[in-house]
Amino acid sequence: MARSEWGRAAAFETDAGIQGIADSDIHMSRLTGMSPADIEHFRIFTIREALLIIVRCPKRQARYFQGHVPAKPLVVKQKSNEEGLVEMPDGSLRVSDYDLMCVYRLAGANSYEKIFFSGVDPKNPRSALMAEAKEIIRKLNSKVGLQSKIQHGAQDDFNNPKNPGVKPAGGSGRPDRFVAFNLGDVTYLAEPNEARAYYSRHGLHWPYDDGGRHTGGVS
């Protein structure tokens, strides 16, 4: 890490510590690119709501802007730069949002029940979410909730040819990274194979083939 970047990270993490955020949440912020406060919120939220939520991580530098720059909405398709930022036509900035992959609720000892988290009409990416999914997003995005608000439903459940899939390790570009919040337990998943193994361990449906293409299966 360059000295200037080390100083930036040190100041950022010192501020998070002053806010009372746990060292473990600050460390997970380094790995994921999510703000420490949002790591804390997801962690506590999944305990309170008995949920398992998996999120695709933004670029690591994005953590400096979460809560200070609005999250990139679904309609903006432009890729973010190394800072996790996108410049809009009017010169304003947007930061990479948190992409939900899936949401499950604890159904019994070591078993989970999927909460369908995409539009009710798979042919229409903007169709409404089901009531339970809308209520979870409302709570996550509440005034005392996430600094960087959830912008859309979960990718795993988007049964549409426009589903972007996942970027595997060994392909062109960097592989996708993920973080799982499971009843307060936070696990960083450095690439899709790690995510697939995590899904398997917890009895979740992994709807991507070896090349990262969405297979259309939702269960």
Side-chain angles (χ1 to χ4, degrees):
M1 183 184 293
R3 182 175 294 274
S4 59
E5 175 59 23
W6 184 90
R8 182 190 197 188
F12 176 81
E13 293 177 3
T14 296
D15 183 61
I18 290 171
Q19 295 175 42
I21 296 173
D23 288 347
S24 57
D25 293 334
I26 294 172
H27 173 66
M28 197 58 64
S29 170
R30 293 181 201 128
L31 296 175
T32 64
M34 298 172 67
S35 84
D38 286 348
I39 294 285
E40 178 185 69
H41 182 67
F42 266 112
R43 179 172 56 78
I44 294 172
F45 185 81
T46 58
I47 296 172
R48 188 169 65 238
E49 299 288 331
L51 295 174
L52 190 167
I53 300 176
I54 299 180
V55 178
R56 175 166 36 215
C57 302
K59 290 172 180 170
R60 287 191 173 93
Q61 304 287 60
R63 70 185 184 134
Y64 299 121
F65 303 98
Q66 307 289 359
H68 303 286
V69 173
K72 186 176 74 168
L74 182 62
V75 294
V76 176
K77 303 303 182 184
Q78 182 181 344
K79 297 298 184 183
S80 61
N81 62 20
E82 286 302 307
E83 295 276 276
L85 297 172
V86 170
E87 184 173 351
M88 304 296 286
D90 64 0
S92 63
L93 297 174
R94 299 291 184 272
V95 66
S96 295
D97 61 325
Y98 304 149
D99 286 331
L100 293 178
M101 300 303 289
C102 60
V103 180
Y104 286 78
R105 191 178 297 281
L106 185 68
N110 301 314
S111 67
Y112 299 86
E113 182 178 89
K114 173 180 276 294
I115 300 172
F116 187 75
F117 231 87
S118 188
V120 294
D121 178 4
K123 296 180 181 179
N124 178 9
R126 298 183 187 178
S127 64
L129 299 176
M130 291 184 177
E132 187 175 13
K134 286 195 290 187
E135 179 64 8
I136 289 171
I137 287 184
R138 185 192 68 77
K139 290 178 179 178
L140 278 169
N141 287 349
S142 68
K143 188 175 292 186
V144 293
L146 293 173
Q147 293 185 335
S148 196
K149 309 301 185 186
I150 299 298
Q151 301 293 304
H152 50 79
Q155 180 177 304
D156 287 3
D157 302 340
F158 182 40
N159 191 10
N160 186 288
K162 293 184 179 179
N163 190 306
V166 296
K167 296 177 183 174
S172 59
R174 298 171 184 167
D176 282 335
R177 300 154 29 251
F178 309 89
V179 57
F181 300 92
N182 182 12
L183 305 172
D185 181 55
V186 187
T187 304
Y188 174 65
L189 305 163
E191 47 93 1
N193 282 335
E194 290 189 17
R196 173 186 269 177
Y198 185 93
Y199 276 55
S200 179
R201 287 197 303 274
H202 292 83
L204 316 181
H205 177 60
W206 175 257
Y208 306 95
D209 63 19
D210 290 342
R213 184 179 61 87
H214 190 264
T215 59
V218 176
S219 65

